[in-house]
PDB file of all heavy atoms in Angstrom:
ATOM      1  N   PRO A  33     105.053 111.882  93.128  1.00 44.00           N
ATOM      2  CA  PRO A  33     104.301 111.816  91.871  1.00 44.00           C
ATOM      3  C   PRO A  33     102.814 112.115  92.029  1.00 44.00           C
ATOM      4  O   PRO A  33     102.119 112.263  91.032  1.00 44.00           O
ATOM      5  CB  PRO A  33     104.500 110.376  91.406  1.00 44.00           C
ATOM      6  CG  PRO A  33     105.632 109.856  92.192  1.00 44.00           C
ATOM      7  CD  PRO A  33     105.638 110.613  93.482  1.00 44.00           C
ATOM      8  N   PHE A  34     102.294 112.180  93.252  1.00 44.00           N
ATOM      9  CA  PHE A  34     100.867 112.367  93.415  1.00 44.00           C
ATOM     10  C   PHE A  34     100.516 113.831  93.634  1.00 44.00           C
ATOM     11  O   PHE A  34     100.847 114.401  94.663  1.00 44.00           O
ATOM     12  CB  PHE A  34     100.342 111.518  94.576  1.00 44.00           C
ATOM     13  CG  PHE A  34     100.536 110.072  94.329  1.00 44.00           C
ATOM     14  CD1 PHE A  34     101.662 109.420  94.797  1.00 44.00           C
ATOM     15  CD2 PHE A  34      99.617 109.367  93.570  1.00 44.00           C
ATOM     16  CE1 PHE A  34     101.856 108.085  94.526  1.00 44.00           C
ATOM     17  CE2 PHE A  34      99.811 108.033  93.300  1.00 44.00           C
ATOM     18  CZ  PHE A  34     100.928 107.381  93.773  1.00 44.00           C
ATOM     19  N   PRO A  35      99.869 114.441  92.666  1.00 40.00           N
ATOM     20  CA  PRO A  35      99.509 115.851  92.813  1.00 40.00           C
ATOM     21  C   PRO A  35      98.664 116.030  94.064  1.00 40.00           C
ATOM     22  O   PRO A  35      97.782 115.236  94.328  1.00 40.00           O
ATOM     23  CB  PRO A  35      98.660 116.137  91.566  1.00 40.00           C
ATOM     24  CG  PRO A  35      98.903 115.011  90.647  1.00 40.00           C
ATOM     25  CD  PRO A  35      99.315 113.823  91.469  1.00 40.00           C
ATOM     26  N   GLY A  36      98.958 117.048  94.809  1.00 40.00           N
ATOM     27  CA  GLY A  36      98.171 117.309  96.007  1.00 40.00           C
ATOM     28  C   GLY A  36      98.766 116.688  97.253  1.00 40.00           C
ATOM     29  O   GLY A  36      98.496 117.113  98.353  1.00 40.00           O
ATOM     30  N   LEU A  37      99.589 115.672  97.084  1.00 41.00           N
ATOM     31  CA  LEU A  37     100.211 115.032  98.246  1.00 41.00           C
ATOM     32  C   LEU A  37     101.646 115.488  98.406  1.00 41.00           C
ATOM     33  O   LEU A  37     102.126 115.701  99.507  1.00 41.00           O
ATOM     34  CB  LEU A  37     100.207 113.508  98.109  1.00 41.00           C
ATOM     35  CG  LEU A  37      98.859 112.831  98.305  1.00 41.00           C
ATOM     36  CD1 LEU A  37      98.995 111.337  98.082  1.00 41.00           C
ATOM     37  CD2 LEU A  37      98.331 113.091  99.706  1.00 41.00           C
ATOM     38  N   GLY A  38     102.339 115.610  97.306  1.00 36.00           N
ATOM     39  CA  GLY A  38     103.748 115.973  97.368  1.00 36.00           C
ATOM     40  C   GLY A  38     103.972 117.345  96.773  1.00 36.00           C
ATOM     41  O   GLY A  38     103.186 118.266  96.977  1.00 36.00           O
ATOM     42  N   GLY A  39     105.031 117.456  96.024  1.00 34.00           N
ATOM     43  CA  GLY A  39     105.341 118.729  95.391  1.00 34.00           C
ATOM     44  C   GLY A  39     104.426 118.983  94.213  1.00 34.00           C
ATOM     45  O   GLY A  39     103.503 118.222  93.951  1.00 34.00           O
ATOM     46  N   ARG A  40     104.706 120.048  93.493  1.00 38.00           N
ATOM     47  CA  ARG A  40     103.858 120.370  92.357  1.00 38.00           C
ATOM     48  C   ARG A  40     104.290 119.536  91.162  1.00 38.00           C
ATOM     49  O   ARG A  40     105.422 119.576  90.731  1.00 38.00           O
ATOM     50  CB  ARG A  40     103.972 121.851  92.022  1.00 38.00           C
ATOM     51  CG  ARG A  40     103.912 122.720  93.260  1.00 38.00           C
ATOM     52  CD  ARG A  40     102.959 123.875  93.165  1.00 38.00           C
ATOM     53  NE  ARG A  40     103.013 124.575  91.899  1.00 38.00           N
ATOM     54  CZ  ARG A  40     101.917 124.920  91.238  1.00 38.00           C
ATOM     55  NH1 ARG A  40     100.751 124.595  91.712  1.00 38.00           N
ATOM     56  NH2 ARG A  40     102.013 125.584  90.113  1.00 38.00           N
ATOM     57  N   ASP A  41     103.374 118.773  90.668  1.00 39.00           N
ATOM     58  CA  ASP A  41     103.671 117.855  89.575  1.00 39.00           C
ATOM     59  C   ASP A  41     103.052 118.395  88.302  1.00 39.00           C
ATOM     60  O   ASP A  41     101.877 118.199  88.037  1.00 39.00           O
ATOM     61  CB  ASP A  41     103.095 116.470  89.916  1.00 39.00           C
ATOM     62  CG  ASP A  41     103.447 115.445  88.860  1.00 39.00           C
ATOM     63  OD1 ASP A  41     104.619 115.383  88.456  1.00 39.00           O
ATOM     64  OD2 ASP A  41     102.550 114.720  88.431  1.00 39.00           O
ATOM     65  N   GLY A  42     103.815 119.140  87.551  1.00 41.00           N
ATOM     66  CA  GLY A  42     103.278 119.725  86.329  1.00 41.00           C
ATOM     67  C   GLY A  42     102.533 121.006  86.660  1.00 41.00           C
ATOM     68  O   GLY A  42     101.888 121.107  87.697  1.00 41.00           O
ATOM     69  N   HIS A  43     102.625 121.978  85.829  1.00 41.00           N
ATOM     70  CA  HIS A  43     101.951 123.249  86.073  1.00 41.00           C
ATOM     71  C   HIS A  43     100.746 123.348  85.168  1.00 41.00           C
ATOM     72  O   HIS A  43     100.831 123.073  83.987  1.00 41.00           O
ATOM     73  CB  HIS A  43     102.899 124.414  85.770  1.00 41.00           C
ATOM     74  CG  HIS A  43     104.165 124.330  86.561  1.00 41.00           C
ATOM     75  ND1 HIS A  43     104.339 124.984  87.749  1.00 41.00           N
ATOM     76  CD2 HIS A  43     105.305 123.639  86.347  1.00 41.00           C
ATOM     77  CE1 HIS A  43     105.541 124.708  88.222  1.00 41.00           C
ATOM     78  NE2 HIS A  43     106.142 123.893  87.387  1.00 41.00           N
ATOM     79  N   SER A  44      99.633 123.721  85.722  1.00 40.00           N
ATOM     80  CA  SER A  44      98.501 123.981  84.854  1.00 40.00           C
ATOM     81  C   SER A  44      98.712 125.376  84.266  1.00 40.00           C
ATOM     82  O   SER A  44      99.138 126.288  84.960  1.00 40.00           O
ATOM     83  CB  SER A  44      97.192 123.909  85.639  1.00 40.00           C
ATOM     84  OG  SER A  44      97.320 124.546  86.874  1.00 40.00           O
ATOM     85  N   GLY A  45      98.439 125.474  82.987  1.00 40.00           N
ATOM     86  CA  GLY A  45      98.694 126.737  82.294  1.00 40.00           C
ATOM     87  C   GLY A  45      97.884 127.872  82.899  1.00 40.00           C
ATOM     88  O   GLY A  45      96.802 127.660  83.451  1.00 40.00           O
ATOM     89  N   LEU A  46      98.404 129.056  82.835  1.00 45.00           N
ATOM     90  CA  LEU A  46      97.693 130.204  83.392  1.00 45.00           C
ATOM     91  C   LEU A  46      96.496 130.508  82.501  1.00 45.00           C
ATOM     92  O   LEU A  46      96.636 131.005  81.393  1.00 45.00           O
ATOM     93  CB  LEU A  46      98.613 131.424  83.462  1.00 45.00           C
ATOM     94  CG  LEU A  46      99.774 131.308  84.450  1.00 45.00           C
ATOM     95  CD1 LEU A  46     100.771 132.425  84.222  1.00 45.00           C
ATOM     96  CD2 LEU A  46      99.262 131.305  85.871  1.00 45.00           C
ATOM     97  N   GLY A  47      95.326 130.159  82.960  1.00 45.00           N
ATOM     98  CA  GLY A  47      94.118 130.426  82.207  1.00 45.00           C
ATOM     99  C   GLY A  47      93.910 129.456  81.045  1.00 45.00           C
ATOM    100  O   GLY A  47      92.913 129.539  80.352  1.00 45.00           O
ATOM    101  N   GLY A  48      94.846 128.538  80.838  1.00 45.00           N
ATOM    102  CA  GLY A  48      94.707 127.590  79.734  1.00 45.00           C
ATOM    103  C   GLY A  48      93.735 126.473  80.092  1.00 45.00           C
ATOM    104  O   GLY A  48      93.364 126.298  81.240  1.00 45.00           O
ATOM    105  N   HIS A  49      93.328 125.728  79.081  1.00 50.00           N
ATOM    106  CA  HIS A  49      92.417 124.608  79.333  1.00 50.00           C
ATOM    107  C   HIS A  49      93.138 123.310  79.010  1.00 50.00           C
ATOM    108  O   HIS A  49      92.675 122.499  78.227  1.00 50.00           O
ATOM    109  CB  HIS A  49      91.149 124.755  78.500  1.00 50.00           C
ATOM    110  CG  HIS A  49      90.319 125.921  78.918  1.00 50.00           C
ATOM    111  ND1 HIS A  49      89.486 125.884  80.010  1.00 50.00           N
ATOM    112  CD2 HIS A  49      90.229 127.173  78.431  1.00 50.00           C
ATOM    113  CE1 HIS A  49      88.906 127.072  80.163  1.00 50.00           C
ATOM    114  NE2 HIS A  49      89.355 127.864  79.209  1.00 50.00           N
ATOM    115  N   ASP A  50      94.290 123.146  79.626  1.00 50.00           N
ATOM    116  CA  ASP A  50      95.105 121.969  79.304  1.00 50.00           C
ATOM    117  C   ASP A  50      95.033 120.942  80.429  1.00 50.00           C
ATOM    118  O   ASP A  50      95.901 120.120  80.575  1.00 50.00           O
ATOM    119  CB  ASP A  50      96.562 122.381  79.047  1.00 50.00           C
ATOM    120  CG  ASP A  50      97.187 123.070  80.246  1.00 50.00           C
ATOM    121  OD1 ASP A  50      96.419 123.455  81.160  1.00 50.00           O
ATOM    122  OD2 ASP A  50      98.399 123.207  80.285  1.00 50.00           O
ATOM    123  N   ASP A  51      93.961 120.980  81.229  1.00 51.00           N
ATOM    124  CA  ASP A  51      93.929 120.067  82.384  1.00 51.00           C
ATOM    125  C   ASP A  51      93.701 118.617  81.982  1.00 51.00           C
ATOM    126  O   ASP A  51      93.884 117.729  82.788  1.00 51.00           O
ATOM    127  CB  ASP A  51      92.891 120.515  83.426  1.00 51.00           C
ATOM    128  CG  ASP A  51      91.533 120.771  82.830  1.00 51.00           C
ATOM    129  OD1 ASP A  51      91.485 121.201  81.657  1.00 51.00           O
ATOM    130  OD2 ASP A  51      90.542 120.530  83.506  1.00 51.00           O
ATOM    131  N   HIS A  52      93.334 118.361  80.711  1.00 54.00           N
ATOM    132  CA  HIS A  52      93.188 116.956  80.309  1.00 54.00           C
ATOM    133  C   HIS A  52      94.536 116.232  80.359  1.00 54.00           C
ATOM    134  O   HIS A  52      94.590 115.034  80.551  1.00 54.00           O
ATOM    135  CB  HIS A  52      92.571 116.831  78.920  1.00 54.00           C
ATOM    136  CG  HIS A  52      93.298 117.600  77.867  1.00 54.00           C
ATOM    137  ND1 HIS A  52      93.027 118.915  77.614  1.00 54.00           N
ATOM    138  CD2 HIS A  52      94.292 117.255  77.036  1.00 54.00           C
ATOM    139  CE1 HIS A  52      93.828 119.338  76.650  1.00 54.00           C
ATOM    140  NE2 HIS A  52      94.607 118.350  76.289  1.00 54.00           N
ATOM    141  N   SER A  53      95.650 116.977  80.222  1.00 54.00           N
ATOM    142  CA  SER A  53      96.958 116.338  80.296  1.00 54.00           C
ATOM    143  C   SER A  53      97.205 115.781  81.696  1.00 54.00           C
ATOM    144  O   SER A  53      97.853 114.760  81.866  1.00 54.00           O
ATOM    145  CB  SER A  53      98.061 117.321  79.918  1.00 54.00           C
ATOM    146  OG  SER A  53      98.098 118.378  80.855  1.00 54.00           O
ATOM    147  N   ALA A  54      96.646 116.450  82.716  1.00 58.00           N
ATOM    148  CA  ALA A  54      96.813 115.980  84.089  1.00 58.00           C
ATOM    149  C   ALA A  54      96.017 114.700  84.326  1.00 58.00           C
ATOM    150  O   ALA A  54      96.327 113.918  85.213  1.00 58.00           O
ATOM    151  CB  ALA A  54      96.362 117.055  85.062  1.00 58.00           C
ATOM    152  N   LYS A  55      94.972 114.485  83.511  1.00 63.00           N
ATOM    153  CA  LYS A  55      94.111 113.313  83.717  1.00 63.00           C
ATOM    154  C   LYS A  55      94.587 112.122  82.896  1.00 63.00           C
ATOM    155  O   LYS A  55      93.999 111.061  82.953  1.00 63.00           O
ATOM    156  CB  LYS A  55      92.673 113.653  83.320  1.00 63.00           C
ATOM    157  CG  LYS A  55      91.987 114.566  84.310  1.00 63.00           C
ATOM    158  CD  LYS A  55      90.560 114.832  83.851  1.00 63.00           C
ATOM    159  CE  LYS A  55      89.940 116.005  84.598  1.00 63.00           C
ATOM    160  NZ  LYS A  55      89.121 116.834  83.719  1.00 63.00           N
ATOM    161  N   LYS A  56      95.626 112.308  82.096  1.00 69.00           N
ATOM    162  CA  LYS A  56      96.137 111.231  81.261  1.00 69.00           C
ATOM    163  C   LYS A  56      96.509 110.036  82.141  1.00 69.00           C
ATOM    164  O   LYS A  56      97.266 110.180  83.100  1.00 69.00           O
ATOM    165  CB  LYS A  56      97.367 111.713  80.489  1.00 69.00           C
ATOM    166  CG  LYS A  56      97.627 110.901  79.241  1.00 69.00           C
ATOM    167  CD  LYS A  56      98.626 111.620  78.345  1.00 69.00           C
ATOM    168  CE  LYS A  56      99.815 110.721  78.089  1.00 69.00           C
ATOM    169  NZ  LYS A  56     100.895 111.461  77.437  1.00 69.00           N
ATOM    170  N   VAL A  57      95.965 108.883  81.811  1.00 70.00           N
ATOM    171  CA  VAL A  57      96.208 107.698  82.635  1.00 70.00           C
ATOM    172  C   VAL A  57      97.444 106.967  82.117  1.00 70.00           C
ATOM    173  O   VAL A  57      97.473 106.562  80.959  1.00 70.00           O
ATOM    174  CB  VAL A  57      94.982 106.751  82.608  1.00 70.00           C
ATOM    175  CG1 VAL A  57      95.234 105.517  83.442  1.00 70.00           C
ATOM    176  CG2 VAL A  57      93.741 107.484  83.101  1.00 70.00           C
ATOM    177  N   PRO A  58      98.468 106.815  82.964  1.00 75.00           N
ATOM    178  CA  PRO A  58      99.668 106.115  82.498  1.00 75.00           C
ATOM    179  C   PRO A  58      99.379 104.636  82.276  1.00 75.00           C
ATOM    180  O   PRO A  58      98.464 104.084  82.876  1.00 75.00           O
ATOM    181  CB  PRO A  58     100.662 106.287  83.649  1.00 75.00           C
ATOM    182  CG  PRO A  58     100.000 107.154  84.663  1.00 75.00           C
ATOM    183  CD  PRO A  58      98.546 107.202  84.358  1.00 75.00           C
ATOM    184  N   ILE A  59     100.162 104.015  81.408  1.00 84.00           N
ATOM    185  CA  ILE A  59     100.011 102.585  81.152  1.00 84.00           C
ATOM    186  C   ILE A  59     100.432 101.825  82.414  1.00 84.00           C
ATOM    187  O   ILE A  59     101.507 102.078  82.956  1.00 84.00           O
ATOM    188  CB  ILE A  59     100.890 102.161  79.958  1.00 84.00           C
ATOM    189  CG1 ILE A  59     100.419 102.898  78.701  1.00 84.00           C
ATOM    190  CG2 ILE A  59     100.851 100.660  79.741  1.00 84.00           C
ATOM    191  CD1 ILE A  59     101.454 102.989  77.612  1.00 84.00           C
ATOM    192  N   PRO A  60      99.575 100.906  82.899  1.00 87.00           N
ATOM    193  CA  PRO A  60      99.922 100.206  84.143  1.00 87.00           C
ATOM    194  C   PRO A  60     101.121  99.277  83.967  1.00 87.00           C
ATOM    195  O   PRO A  60     101.356  98.751  82.881  1.00 87.00           O
ATOM    196  CB  PRO A  60      98.667  99.405  84.474  1.00 87.00           C
ATOM    197  CG  PRO A  60      97.656  99.722  83.457  1.00 87.00           C
ATOM    198  CD  PRO A  60      98.289 100.492  82.352  1.00 87.00           C
ATOM    199  N   ASP A  61     101.858  99.085  85.048  1.00 90.00           N
ATOM    200  CA  ASP A  61     102.955  98.123  85.096  1.00 90.00           C
ATOM    201  C   ASP A  61     102.427  96.814  85.684  1.00 90.00           C
ATOM    202  O   ASP A  61     101.509  96.819  86.496  1.00 90.00           O
ATOM    203  CB  ASP A  61     104.077  98.637  86.008  1.00 90.00           C
ATOM    204  CG  ASP A  61     104.961  99.654  85.301  1.00 90.00           C
ATOM    205  OD1 ASP A  61     104.867  99.772  84.062  1.00 90.00           O
ATOM    206  OD2 ASP A  61     105.740 100.311  85.997  1.00 90.00           O
ATOM    207  N   SER A  62     103.051  95.701  85.271  1.00 94.00           N
ATOM    208  CA  SER A  62     102.682  94.398  85.828  1.00 94.00           C
ATOM    209  C   SER A  62     103.568  94.061  87.015  1.00 94.00           C
ATOM    210  O   SER A  62     104.762  94.371  87.012  1.00 94.00           O
ATOM    211  CB  SER A  62     102.863  93.301  84.789  1.00 94.00           C
ATOM    212  OG  SER A  62     102.183  93.639  83.625  1.00 94.00           O
TER     213      SER A  62
END
Side-chain angles (χ1 to χ4, degrees):
F34 298 94
L37 286 178
R40 315 228 317 134
D41 184 47
H43 304 265
S44 43
L46 293 168
H49 293 280
D50 59 346
D51 51 328
H52 54 273
S53 64
K55 287 181 194 141
K56 203 166 123 190
V57 179
I59 297 158
D61 280 347
S62 307

